[in-house]
Amino acid sequence: MRGAARGPRLFLIVMLLLALGIGMSTALFSVMDSVLLRPLPVERQDRLVVVWKGGGKDAAHVGELSYPEFEDWRRQSRAFAAMAALPTTVYGYELTFSGYGAPIELVRTPVTAAFFSVLGMRPVLGRGFEESDNHPGAEPTVVLAYSVWKNLLHGDRSAIGRVVSLGGRGYTVIGVMPPDFDFPAGAQIWTPLGEEARWLRRKASFLEVVGRLEPGVTVQQAKSDVAGAIAQVARRYPQYSEPGEFPVLTPLADYVFGAGKPAIVLLWAASLLLLAIACINVTAVLVARAVRKEREVAIRLALGATRAILFRQFVAEGLVLSLAGAAAGCVTARMLIALMIALAPPGLPAVAGIPRLASVHLSVLSLAFACLLGVAAALVFGFTPTLATLRRDVRDSLDEGGARTAGSRHGGLLRRSLLVAEATVTTLLLIAAGTVVHNFHNLRQVRLGFVPGNVLTAQIRLPGADAARRDAFFAQLLDRLQSHPQVSAAGAVLLRPFEGTVGWDAPYRIRGQDVDQARRNPVANLEVVTPGYFQAVGTPLVTGRSFTAGDNSANRRVVIVSESLARRAFGDARRAVGSELALGPADAPDRASDWLSIAGVVADAQYRSFGVTQGDLFLPYLQTNIPIRYLAVRTRIDPASFAPVLSADVAALDPALAVSKVRTLDDLVAGAGVGPRFVMLLFALFAAFAGVLAAVGVYGMVADSVAERRREIGIRIALGAVRGNVMLLLTRDELRSVLLGECLGAALSIGLARGYAHWLYGLRGTDVPSMAAAVAVLASVSLAAGVLPALRTTRAAVTHLLVE
């Protein structure tokens, strides 16, 4: 510590480098600890799995169950101690909470009676559901999320047993869940699934299963058990089954964290690479210091000091430096965590695509991780200078340490080895960051299929309304909206863009296809729209016509398809207009009333996932009983400022209705891309720091090298050597080391890319442009960082020689 006080410049440089490296790693470890390592608020999460069906045409497709099929599974299964069912989405089941001020739309999840017991969760107040709650005709009951109880019922403990109005119907509050319970993510209330008879039909497929495995049963055994149940149900009810269905079992933790898990792991790996670069730079600084002290060390050894004593001294120096860096790194980590949470957009169940990010903090485990990094760094910092000095013969050191003309041969070899290592690690990080940034740029270039600017969207649900009342309400509301001078177009849709990754899947067959051909048709995304919807969101019409008010139940049934579906089915969009298709399974009975005439073709649009387009089918809302839910209003003013006018128009038609989920289409697009954008920004930040650290490392190592050879340089220039040749001589070995490291890093990145290519937003295995850019950037930075100290030293070398 006294040595650090005598040389504060070295101490501060090392501490800053370690603060950055350890701080980044600890911050990302804290995210991983809070998000991935901390158990979910359920009992024995390792025994819980989420189950659905995969399809033969698309393994990633979520095959939903009906309630009777779930009951078949539950009766036949022997691998599960208990099973519960819930919808695959949290949207589409909302209820309007009224009687406590303005109506508020609450996100509801209908669940079977065993839902809370399967998860091992107990309410903090009241009780969960029982079988007596889960059948038609039962008294309506509801379990509240803690935030709903706290904010809407003011935390009143006497709320248990109270009847509240939800969707115009009285529900008895029977329980309040703990504050940390959030499954499925975003749910605010839970109701018994079996109380509504319309959800109990075998053709109503909208469920997934959460199950608790029996003790000793593996996931593979459970999968075989469910496969048997699927096969048995398919034999008994072939009309409700698709060929090639298979079970998909996902551990609950993987289901909850989804795509956020690989993103966090990759970011943490990137932070460790950044820490490695910082440690290499610190090691280079300490090696240069050890080389300069080589003669002193040799004298001490000659006077009787043991190598063990000197090794302990090096380790002690490294320990002081690394622990100081670890302390500074913890402070840096805390600031970085606060910065990440502040930069992440608020209001999402999974902030920036990473669940539980808002709850990340610097835990005891994170502090222990930082200390572990500090101790590991101390050993590296103590061992590496030992290689540079203590392994050499004392006489060689004394001979070389005299009037040294060229630098230490041993120190130069170790320095170049460190340069190779630093260039390798930096190249790996730059290529990974470049690939992520390049991929995000490609995602941004994918056509959305609509023009998001100046579009306001909102959800309006009419609980209990029949099709005639619902159609009349939306017709009146759209007429009122279009009468405003601020509105250029208005329409409504079943599910607005980016509402969720699960929507209405529609198998279809083209007129003239046989059963085998129809089974090869990919499942399409089904939407129900009003006339004016495409104009409101800006989806261009490719050919044919849009829907009109004449597309009603009295006229021939029509459909509009997306461009990719038309080309896949008919080879050309223009040939699709006037052709016919039918919705439903490939082997469904051929009835004349099922065939729909294709009225038009619109551009492909992204509805479910950012950067992904899927074949779409659009039905006119007057020719189907499927309810529309979302408004889309294109305004001539700031769309957010039109929200009060929209609410007033809805209240004028029905004051009991709630206008919920009011978002501009720009916000929906930004929210859909927030996960990729957040990861891209963090990788770009890592790349920037890596570039700076690499420049500092190359500059420092070249500066140390030329400083050792300053006498040699002065002699060469005094004897007539050209300065350019001398500079080339000084930087040649270091730049060769950088190029060698770049080659090693590029080769390693090709192998590593195969491991992460399928994780993040469709990354490709080998991104040649990113690889070339990384190599070029590092080479340029290294060249500049190497030339500067060489130029400065060649100018001062002769003067220094004359002074000597």
Side-chain angles (χ1 to χ4, degrees):
M1 292 176 69
R2 288 197 302 271
R6 289 194 301 269
R9 179 172 172 270
L10 173 68
F11 178 79
L12 289 176
I13 290 174
V14 170
M15 193 174 69
L16 287 174
L17 289 171
L18 289 178
L20 177 61
I22 294 179
M24 281 279 193
S25 300
T26 305
L28 267 298
F29 180 82
S30 299
V31 173
M32 192 164 65
D33 173 40
S34 297
V35 174
L36 300 182
L37 303 182
R38 193 179 69 199
L40 295 169
V42 296
E43 183 180 324
R44 291 291 308 274
Q45 72 176 45
D46 60 307
R47 306 304 298 164
L48 291 170
V49 293
V50 178
V51 192
W52 61 84
K53 297 183 295 184
K57 289 183 290 189
D58 183 3
H61 169 64
V62 177
E64 298 164 309
L65 287 76
S66 65
Y67 186 82
E69 187 174 6
F70 160 71
E71 290 290 346
D72 292 336
W73 282 21
R74 191 171 67 159
R75 284 191 298 268
Q76 297 169 25
S77 175
R78 298 292 179 268
F80 292 88
M83 281 180 156
L86 67 158
T88 55
T89 69
V90 294
Y91 48 87
Y93 306 95
E94 298 87 347
L95 288 176
T96 303
F97 178 83
S98 57
Y100 292 81
I104 299 175
E105 200 86 357
L106 296 180
V107 179
R108 171 179 60 155
T109 298
V111 297
T112 55
F115 176 72
F116 296 115
S117 60
V118 168
L119 296 175
M121 293 299 300
R122 297 174 180 83
V124 292
L125 288 177
R127 65 174 178 86
F129 297 124
E130 299 172 352
E131 287 298 335
S132 59
D133 301 312
N134 193 47
H135 63 84
E139 178 187 357
T141 54
V142 63
V143 174
L144 307 179
Y146 189 87
S147 59
V148 172
W149 172 70
K150 195 75 174 175
N151 299 329
L152 299 185
L153 300 181
H154 311 295
D156 186 358
R157 300 181 70 88
S158 65
I160 301 299
R162 185 182 304 175
V163 177
V164 296
S165 177
L166 292 169
R169 187 181 180 192
Y171 281 77
T172 302
V173 178
I174 63 170
V176 176
M177 296 308 294
D180 58 349
F181 183 75
D182 183 29
F183 182 76
Q188 296 174 297
I189 57 176
W190 295 265
T191 60
L193 189 150
E195 69 175 6
E196 296 202 31
R198 63 191 176 97
W199 288 339
L200 306 184
R201 298 172 296 172
R202 191 167 287 275
K203 67 178 182 179
S205 297
F206 65 107
L207 301 175
E208 63 188 7
V209 174
V210 57
R212 181 172 292 277
L213 299 176
E214 288 278 11
V217 174
T218 65
V219 172
Q220 191 59 44
Q221 290 171 333
K223 186 177 292 187
S224 300
D225 183 75
V226 176
I230 292 175
Q232 189 167 343
V233 171
R235 286 193 296 269
R236 293 181 61 188
Y237 305 99
Q239 67 274 32
Y240 298 113
S241 302
E242 288 288 334
E245 289 181 332
F246 57 89
V248 178
L249 276 70
T250 303
L252 181 64
D254 293 344
Y255 176 86
V256 170
F257 300 131
K261 182 175 181 178
I264 294 169
V265 174
L266 281 180
L267 286 170
W268 185 58
S271 71
L272 291 180
L273 291 178
L274 193 68
L275 174 63
I277 297 171
C279 287
I280 290 171
N281 281 350
V282 173
T283 303
V285 171
L286 296 180
V287 166
R289 177 169 173 263
V291 169
R292 287 194 296 270
K293 296 175 63 177
E294 188 174 322
R295 182 174 175 82
E296 172 194 336
V297 170
I299 292 174
R300 293 173 67 180
L301 288 171
L303 293 176
T306 65
R307 295 179 185 272
I309 291 175
L310 293 177
F311 175 70
R312 286 199 298 270
Q313 178 186 334
F314 282 131
V315 172
E317 289 176 352
L319 190 63
V320 170
L321 292 172
S322 59
L323 291 183
C330 290
V331 176
T332 305
R334 187 170 183 176
M335 292 189 295
L336 288 173
I337 291 170
L339 181 63
M340 279 193 291
I341 296 174
L343 290 178
L348 298 176
V351 179
I354 301 176
R356 302 199 293 195
L357 179 61
S359 65
V360 173
H361 62 283
L362 200 63
S363 64
V364 175
L365 187 60
S366 302
L367 294 174
F369 176 76
C371 291
L372 179 64
L373 291 180
V375 172
L379 294 176
V380 172
F381 300 157
F383 182 71
T384 310
T386 303
L387 290 178
T389 55
L390 297 184
R391 293 183 63 186
R392 302 201 62 205
D393 186 85
V394 174
R395 290 171 298 179
D396 290 342
S397 297
L398 291 173
D399 291 341
E400 196 176 84
R404 182 182 296 163
T405 301
S408 166
R409 293 185 298 274
H410 189 69
L413 177 61
L414 188 54
R415 185 186 300 115
R416 287 191 291 274
S417 300
L418 290 172
L419 262 178
V420 171
E422 179 167 39
T424 301
V425 177
T426 305
T427 302
L428 275 173
L429 185 51
L430 287 177
I431 291 175
T435 303
V436 174
V437 173
H438 187 199
N439 181 255
F440 180 77
H441 173 75
N442 290 341
L443 288 178
R444 297 292 295 175
Q445 303 309 307
V446 176
R447 291 190 304 171
L448 291 171
F450 43 81
V451 182
N454 284 76
V455 178
L456 182 70
T457 68
Q459 178 181 243
I460 300 177
R461 299 181 69 255
L462 282 73
D466 57 19
R469 182 188 163 207
R470 189 170 57 243
D471 295 345
F473 172 82
F474 276 102
Q476 295 176 42
L477 178 59
L478 292 174
D479 285 342
R480 291 179 69 98
L481 291 172
Q482 289 170 334
S483 68
H484 293 291
Q486 307 99 310
V487 175
S488 59
V493 65
L494 170 62
L495 288 176
R496 63 187 174 184
F498 304 125
E499 183 61 18
T501 56
V502 177
W504 286 58
D505 292 326
Y508 63 92
R509 60 189 187 278
I510 306 298
R511 176 78 82 174
Q513 284 185 331
D514 58 31
V515 173
D516 290 336
Q517 291 172 328
R519 282 176 176 165
R520 288 194 290 269
N521 292 334
V523 176
N525 174 55
L526 180 66
E527 296 285 354
V528 179
V529 301
T530 66
Y533 169 74
F534 295 121
Q535 292 84 347
V537 297
T539 297
L541 182 69
V542 177
T543 186
R545 67 173 179 87
S546 294
F547 293 135
T548 67
D551 295 316
N552 52 41
S553 57
N555 293 313
R556 186 181 182 186
R557 298 179 66 196
V558 293
V559 65
I560 289 176
V561 302
S562 65
E563 190 173 7
S564 62
L565 189 150
R567 287 179 176 169
R568 184 167 51 241
F570 303 100
D572 183 77
R574 287 185 292 272
R575 291 173 55 190
V577 176
S579 301
E580 293 181 320
L581 61 79
L583 302 181
D587 53 357
D590 190 355
R591 296 176 298 190
S593 59
D594 292 337
W595 293 100
L596 311 175
S597 176
I598 298 177
V601 178
V602 294
D604 287 314
Q606 301 174 28
Y607 272 89
R608 300 194 189 179
S609 299
F610 184 68
V612 178
T613 55
Q614 182 180 353
D616 301 309
L617 294 169
F618 299 91
L619 298 178
Y621 83 118
L622 295 176
Q623 292 185 346
T624 179
N625 289 327
I626 300 175
I628 51 178
R629 297 191 182 121
Y630 293 90
L631 287 173
V633 184
R634 181 168 291 277
T635 64
R636 297 185 175 94
I637 59 173
D638 177 16
S641 65
F642 189 74
V645 180
L646 171 61
S647 298
D649 282 347
V650 172
L653 295 176
D654 190 339
L657 295 180
V659 179
S660 62
K661 299 184 179 181
V662 180
R663 302 278 300 276
T664 66
L665 196 49
D666 273 327
D667 289 341
L668 292 173
V669 173
V674 71
R677 186 185 304 111
F678 192 65
V679 173
M680 180 208 69
L681 288 175
L682 289 179
F683 263 106
L685 184 64
F686 288 153
F689 278 126
V692 171
L693 289 177
V696 170
V698 174
Y699 181 90
M701 292 185 209
V702 174
D704 286 333
S705 175
V706 297
E708 289 180 17
R709 302 175 67 180
R710 187 156 43 186
R711 183 180 180 85
E712 172 198 349
I713 296 168
I715 294 173
R716 287 178 179 273
I717 294 176
L719 294 176
V722 179
R723 291 181 186 271
N725 293 339
V726 174
M727 289 180 58
L728 178 63
L729 177 67
L730 292 173
T731 58
R732 181 182 58 196
D733 290 340
E734 280 70 15
L735 292 179
R736 281 178 177 172
S737 300
V738 171
L739 291 176
L740 176 59
E742 287 187 314
C743 293
L744 292 175
L748 286 173
S749 69
I750 294 174
L752 292 176
R754 295 174 182 173
Y756 66 72
H758 62 284
W759 275 1
L760 289 176
Y761 320 111
L763 292 180
R764 291 168 293 183
T766 303
D767 189 352
V768 177
S770 297
M771 187 179 297
V775 171
V777 167
L778 182 56
S780 301
V781 167
S782 300
L783 181 62
V787 166
L788 287 176
L791 180 62
R792 187 182 63 184
T793 303
T794 53
R795 288 175 177 174
V798 177
T799 304
H800 179 78
L801 181 64
L802 292 175
V803 170
E804 283 188 345

